[in-house]
Every structure is written in structure tokens, then in C-alpha cells.
Amino acid sequence: MSRLFMFEKPLGMRDTLPELYEKKHRVRTLMEDAIKQWGYQFIDTPTLEYYETVGTASAILDSELFKLLDKDGHTLVLRPDMTSPIARVAASRLLENDLPLRLAYAGNVYRAQQREGGRPAEFEQIGVEYINDDTVSSDGEVIALLVSSLKKAGLSQFQVSVGHIGFAQELFKQILGTNGRANALRRFLYEKNFVGYREQVNSYSLSSIDKKRLLQLLELRGGEEVIGKALDIVEDGYGKESLIQLKELWDVISDYGLKDYVKFDFTIVSHMSYYSGILFEAYAGNVGFPIGNGGRYGLIEKFGKKASATGFAVRLDKLLEAMGSLEVTNTVECIFFSQERRKEAFQLAETMKGEGKQTVLQDINGVKNLDAFTKKFANTTFLIGGA
Amino acid sequence: MNTKLTIAMPKGRIFEEALELLLKAGYNLPPEFDDSRKLILDVEAEDMRFILAKPMDVATYVEHGVADVGIAGKDVLLEEERDVYELLDLRISACYLAVAGLPGTAMNDVAPKVATKYPNVAAAYFREQGEQVEIIKLNGSIELAPLIGLADRIVDIVSTGRTLVENGLVEYERIKDVTSRLIVNPVSYRIKDERINELVTRLSTVVSLEVK
């Protein structure tokens, strides 16, 4: 291995310099305030977790986990998401008396770098988990909160695409019979390979009506009208139930007055086995990757409590990218002083801080290039020499 | 909202055929399109922007969202495994991925070596065959490798098979048929759905006519 330069960082790790820090802080605060207004309680969990518990329960692929060993030889992971640690805490500490639980978080997560740049290996997620409530109202609340917190953060143009894991699954089972064949098709959806999906469908010996039903799935995208189209291709059973849920969800979102932000998309399969019901992704037009995602999952059961939950996670780095150049106005003022008027300068600084101004106290003898340094401040005051 | 559609086109062999397909689909593209040296071409009449990229890079531009859609060979998609939608088989630039080598030779018992421009495809193929091989990545003129003893086999694109014959190589196994595909960035697919649906409809009409 070649010798590292002193400035180098591990692949995928980024520094947050003052200007970006300010922006991040501002957007995070706006999101957090919005989430708190809905009565969610923020919690923190450790950065390190056991591989066997949180690591294997997580939706993140094994190859994307940062792993290390503790002194007893247990494998640890840097938390790859916040949902599985919160499921652990909820199941072991918080889920008492079988009550609904609304939790929120803002924290860094870690995913091992797979490829070239443009994908940080450490990034911040802000999100909520709404645990132990199976109603469609709770799915609707989480989507509405996602939309309204993004709006509060200042994002104007974005869209949430909503799907349901049960619909495609049930359609496949009804038509194809076996889980194996259903999973083969689901994998094509998961891999976003519609060409392969069509080839696979055409390779099965099915009636032309059944083939058409399977191929129509790829077209099921749009507003409320899509539910009607979906009803035409699925028979009674769980598939229809998932449509009833989505119809109700649409009504819930409409009652929140947010249906302009939401579309249906039955081709969304974010994960092969993680989600158990309604699921969604959020997109902003100018960012090539989703800014957030979420859905209903049965993860809590893995930690020993019977409860399902729904939630969302927004990627702060993608959100900042979507918001473009945020003007961060520099409001810091500077008081230059020399020894003679030091006390006066300190008193002035106290007064200014009391007024809520950010104030730097700078000994004039400590600055070599005064012109360059003054430019860094919104305002300057000189208290130097004999009064 | 910005509705301009950015299309990543592969330079070289596939370009001509892809362009022809777009013209047949009724897109009004300027005649000087193909002999320009520019890498970015704006076509105001169609509210489209074309970027010309190396074929191997098309999926990268689309995955990162700097191009909404792209035209890429299935070979590239298999090798790169980018997170993009593969919406349509354009059925152009047909060829296939194959294993080739010197005639009548067996693989080295100790350390069989395979030279290729497609290390991921090659590794996956031989793993599925239950064969342990060592992959050597080359960037071009793959046929050289068995001729001068760098590798026992090569994995490469074959269209007519002439290059193999001219270099005294034979095809051992056919891995996968390859055609060009229309690929789409997952966010663009949802945000610019109307424009992309229109493109898909127009192209698929042309493609199905060609096949018949």
C-alpha cells in the first residue's frame, strides 16, 4: 500500500466545513421542529451495534456494512440505518402497555463505499418511526409528516411515489401459483429491469389474458385513477385488500390537503423482503437519487415484540443538494481591541451578545493581514489606542 | 419545473443506429447531428439535450441523474450493475458475449486465466459454471491475450465473429445475447414521467414495426 498523504480520508468520508455546517444545521432544525410539532419524541442510539442483532435485522445489504470486532470477538457494525436500532430500543424498553409510539431521530449512518465518489459512506438521516399502530391513518400520518416537514425545510418541488408490496406479490401468486416463480418476477421489479420482466412473463405458458395482467402492472403509475385500473387486474384476496388500503390512504392524504404531492406507483420494490405493506420514495427533480424513503415493516418482531411499524428517513445530504444554493448570510461581527481599551471591548462584546449578536473579540496584534481578516465579518468595531 | 429531457447517447457503433431509431420515432433532430465534435447538443425544437458519452459510461451518467435517459448496451448494464430502469429493448446493435480461445486448447489446471473488458460478467459466468478462474482486465484488443499467452480464454463481445477468425480464435461458449436498451434514471422516471412515457411509446412503436 502506498504511503498516505496527510490530508487523506477513508473512502466516502467527508468533512463538513463552516458554511455547509450552517446550512445543514438550519435545514436539520427546520425538519426537527416540524417533526416535534406533530408530537414525535426524538431519541439517540449508539453508533456501534452488534452485527448479530441490528446488523442482520437491518434492510441494508451485508456487503455494505462496516464491521469490526470488540475485545471479546463479537462482530460489531457501525449502524447502517436508524430504523433497526430504534426497533431494538422500542421492543426492549419503550413498548409498554401495547400503546402506539411516535419516535424520531436525526443521526449519522454508515454504509461501506461500493464504487466511485458521489456516494458518501457516512451521511445524516432524519426520520420518524410510528410503532404499534396498524391503521392506514398511521401510514397516512407518516407520509403527510414527510411532505410537511420537507415543505417546512424549504423544499418546494418534490414528489412522493407510493406503492404497496402486497399488490404485486399477490398478483404474481394468483397467476403463477408458486412462490419461486413469483419471486423471480419480483426480482426483476427490484432490479428495475422491465425488459427482463417482459421476457420472463412471455416465457411462461400462460393465457394471453394472464400475460396481459402481468404486463399491465408495469403501467400502474399515476393518481387516484390507477387504483381502478389495478382493481381490474387482481382477483379477490390480499391483493384487493392492498388496494382498499391504498384507496383509504389516498383519502387520508386528501384530507390532509396534500394529494398534489403524492402519486401511486405499483412497480416500487425497494427491498426484496423488508417491507410488509405500503411503501414510498420521495424525489426532488434536480437530484438523481431519492431524497427519502419509507414504509411499513415488521422489524419489531425480530426483536421479540409483536408489532408492526411505519416510518420514513430523509437523507440530509440529498435534501441539501435538492435545495440548491442556500444563502447563508454572515452575521458575525468583530471587535478589534488593543490592551489599552481591552476592558471596554469586553464590555461592549457582552452587551452585543446580550442583544443576540454573534461577536468575535480579536486582539489587533494577533492579525497579520487586517484587510483580509476584516472581510470575514458583517461589521467591525475598532477599540484601539488611548481613548 | 424543468422539463428538458437529457439523453446520454453512446459514441461509435451504436450511435448511428440509435439516431436512426429516434428519427424514425419522429423526433426532429438536426442533420449535422452526427458529424459534430461537440459533446453536448441542445435541440431546442424538441426541448431535448443530447450528451455524447463513451458507451461504457452511459449508465453512469444516467444513474447519477445528470442524464435522464440513455441508450446503453446490455453488456454495459450487466458489467456495471447501475441502479437504473431498463425500460425497453431497442433491438439494435445486436451481438453477444462469448468465451473464446485458441482452438483445441484446455484451460490451465493450476491457474486458469481469463482476459476481458468485462471482469464482473466474466467472474459471474465462470462462478456459475463452478470454475475457479483468475480474471485479467484489459481495455481493448482482447484477442491478443490468448495469442501471446497472457490468458487461456477471453470473454468479449462478438458481432460477426470475423475478428475472432482473423486472429485464429474460436468461440467456446455463448454467454448472453446483447442488444441496446433504453435506460432511465429512477428519479427522472417519476418526475418527468410524461415525457419519458411519450419517448417509450414512440420508440416501442418503431421497434415493434422493425421486428415484424
Side-chain angles (χ1 to χ4, degrees):
Chain A
M1 196 176 143
S2 60
R3 221 181 118 95
L4 291 172
F5 286 105
M6 286 310 289
F7 62 78
E8 285 187 282
K9 306 182 294 284
L11 195 63
M13 294 295 169
R14 288 180 180 172
D15 297 312
T16 306
L17 299 182
E19 200 184 332
L20 179 59
Y21 185 95
E22 262 324 300
K23 286 181 194 170
K24 261 174 99 167
H25 176 71
R26 198 197 311 171
V27 173
R28 182 196 301 121
T29 311
L30 289 168
M31 290 280 295
E32 281 180 356
D33 288 349
I35 291 168
K36 280 181 194 159
Q37 279 185 337
W38 289 52
Y40 283 69
Q41 291 176 302
F42 274 81
I43 65 169
D44 259 340
T45 64
T47 311
L48 285 174
E49 296 271 359
Y50 282 121
Y51 169 69
E52 272 181 57
T53 59
V54 167
T56 53
S58 155
I60 306 306
L61 296 176
D62 204 64
S63 59
E64 287 187 38
L65 300 179
F66 276 104
K67 297 186 195 116
L68 55 157
L69 295 176
D70 72 4
K71 66 180 173 38
D72 298 321
H74 292 295
T75 307
L76 309 176
V77 293
L78 290 173
R79 62 178 178 214
D81 62 21
M82 291 296 292
T83 304
S84 35
I86 287 179
R88 174 182 60 70
V89 179
S92 59
R93 305 278 297 275
L94 297 173
L95 268 182
E96 286 157 4
N97 307 325
D98 213 19
L99 301 173
L101 188 62
R102 289 175 173 83
L103 297 173
Y105 59 85
N108 285 6
V109 299
Y110 303 83
R111 312 226 176 125
Q113 180 86 351
Q114 297 288 307
R115 276 182 198 275
E116 75 275 327
R119 291 154 188 275
E122 176 185 25
F123 54 86
E124 185 170 341
Q125 280 188 332
I126 301 178
V128 306
E129 309 294 347
Y130 182 171
I131 302 166
N132 206 20
D133 181 342
D134 293 340
T135 60
V136 175
S137 297
S138 68
D139 293 289
E141 172 172 320
V142 163
I143 293 174
L145 177 51
L146 169 65
V147 171
S148 66
S149 61
L150 287 175
K151 277 165 72 177
K152 278 269 169 60
L155 191 66
S156 51
Q157 291 185 328
F158 61 93
Q159 181 193 316
V160 180
S161 285
V162 182
H164 195 296
I165 205 75
F167 182 75
Q169 206 167 317
E170 194 57 27
L171 180 70
F172 295 163
K173 247 198 253 168
Q174 282 176 9
I175 297 178
L176 300 168
T178 67
N179 272 331
R181 295 214 292 184
N183 277 339
L185 275 191
R186 204 141 65 91
R187 180 157 290 279
F188 281 114
L189 286 188
Y190 171 66
E191 289 171 351
K192 305 185 172 70
N193 181 355
F194 290 3
V195 174
Y197 178 92
R198 288 196 207 99
E199 283 170 1
Q200 186 82 12
V201 168
N202 285 321
S203 76
Y204 290 141
S205 54
L206 296 168
S207 70
S208 61
I209 293 172
D210 282 347
K211 277 188 185 174
K212 211 172 152 201
R213 285 163 71 196
L214 287 174
L215 294 178
Q216 268 170 349
L217 175 66
L218 301 182
E219 318 287 325
L220 293 180
R221 304 196 295 145
E224 194 185 4
E225 75 284 355
V226 176
I227 294 182
K229 290 185 195 165
L231 270 171
D232 290 341
I233 65 170
V234 75
E235 288 158 18
D236 287 342
Y238 183 58
K240 193 158 270 181
E241 210 172 281
S242 65
L243 292 177
I244 292 166
Q245 281 182 26
L246 284 177
K247 174 72 181 79
E248 194 186 337
L249 180 74
W250 183 260
D251 294 340
V252 172
I253 302 279
S254 300
D255 288 348
Y256 277 113
L258 297 173
K259 65 180 179 187
D260 289 347
Y261 292 90
V262 176
K263 279 190 181 175
F264 288 118
D265 189 327
F266 284 78
T267 63
I268 294 183
V269 178
S270 316
H271 191 275
M272 277 304 279
S273 60
Y274 185 78
Y275 291 103
S276 59
I278 289 168
L279 76 169
F280 51 88
E281 288 183 345
Y283 314 98
N286 48 349
V287 184
F289 300 92
I291 53 174
N293 69 320
R296 180 162 293 279
Y297 53 89
L299 182 64
I300 314 282
E301 286 186 32
K302 285 195 183 167
F303 291 97
K305 276 263 165 66
K306 212 172 155 45
S308 91
T310 174
F312 73 75
V314 168
R315 283 187 60 154
L316 196 56
D317 57 334
K318 299 291 174 211
L319 177 57
L320 283 166
E321 208 182 318
M323 299 175 68
S325 54
L326 284 179
E327 271 314 307
V328 176
T329 43
N330 183 7
T331 52
V332 183
E333 300 195 17
C334 184
I335 304 168
F336 291 96
F337 67 89
S338 63
Q339 200 189 352
E340 296 89 345
R341 300 178 67 183
R342 185 169 58 206
K343 192 168 182 187
E344 188 188 338
F346 287 5
Q347 280 163 351
L348 176 62
E350 273 313 302
T351 318
M352 284 166 65
K353 285 180 211 162
E355 291 163 1
K357 290 178 181 166
Q358 295 160 284
T359 314
V360 164
L361 277 165
Q362 175 64 51
D363 188 330
I364 189 91
N365 295 316
V367 182
K368 294 191 184 70
N369 185 339
L370 197 58
D371 278 347
F373 192 70
T374 334
K375 282 196 188 109
K376 289 180 176 289
F377 299 98
N379 206 1
T380 48
T381 313
F382 288 85
L383 298 176
I384 47 180
Chain B
M1 189 179 269
N2 176 22
T3 57
K4 179 174 264 182
L5 204 60
T6 303
I7 304 184
M9 297 279 277
K11 286 195 286 194
R13 197 170 53 94
I14 313 173
F15 181 83
E16 303 291 330
E17 291 180 59
L19 184 61
E20 202 188 322
L21 212 55
L22 286 166
L23 290 170
K24 277 185 186 154
Y27 284 98
N28 183 13
L29 307 175
E32 75 278 8
F33 200 66
D34 43 351
D35 42 46
S36 167
R37 282 174 179 273
K38 279 189 189 160
L39 296 175
I40 300 179
L41 279 161
D42 284 310
V43 181
E44 299 298 342
E46 295 285 1
D47 198 16
M48 281 177 168
R49 159 175 284 188
F50 288 85
I51 61 172
L52 300 181
K54 276 271 196 190
M56 210 63 172
D57 295 336
V58 166
T60 312
Y61 289 103
V62 175
E63 184 186 44
H64 284 264
V66 289
D68 298 306
V69 304
I71 292 176
K74 182 67 185 173
D75 53 329
V76 172
L77 300 180
L78 287 170
E79 177 62 25
E80 294 276 309
E81 295 191 308
R82 296 282 171 174
D83 188 19
V84 295
Y85 276 98
E86 185 182 330
L87 287 192
L88 198 60
D89 185 350
L90 299 173
R91 316 224 181 160
I92 54 172
S93 307
C95 53
Y96 58 96
L97 282 159
V99 182
L102 285 166
T105 54
M107 298 255 265
N108 183 317
D109 286 339
V110 185
K113 283 183 286 190
V114 177
T116 183
K117 216 161 58 171
Y118 303 94
N120 291 330
V121 173
Y125 176 74
F126 284 101
R127 201 182 304 120
E128 277 165 25
Q129 307 299 308
E131 289 184 58
Q132 295 188 33
V133 300
E134 295 177 7
I135 308 283
I136 296 166
K137 158 98 200 238
L138 293 177
N139 290 302
S141 303
I142 316 294
E143 296 80 9
L144 257 179
L147 298 178
I148 58 171
L150 176 65
D152 310 307
R153 294 284 186 268
I154 62 169
V155 167
D156 204 11
I157 280 287
V158 181
S159 44
T160 59
R162 221 175 60 210
T163 320
L164 289 182
V165 173
E166 280 175 5
N167 288 293
L169 299 178
V170 292
E171 186 185 312
Y172 280 91
E173 286 128 84
R174 203 176 167 122
I175 299 179
K176 180 137 184 94
D177 286 328
V178 170
T179 48
S180 295
R181 309 292 161 97
L182 182 74
I183 58 171
V184 178
N185 172 274
V187 176
S188 306
Y189 185 52
R190 307 261 154 56
I191 296 274
K192 299 186 180 175
D193 50 349
E194 282 170 25
R195 294 218 60 189
I196 288 168
N197 285 345
E198 192 205 333
L199 177 69
V200 171
T201 313
R202 283 164 76 167
L203 283 175
S204 54
T205 313
V206 176
V207 171
S208 53
L209 281 178
E210 299 273 297
V211 171
K212 277 170 193 161

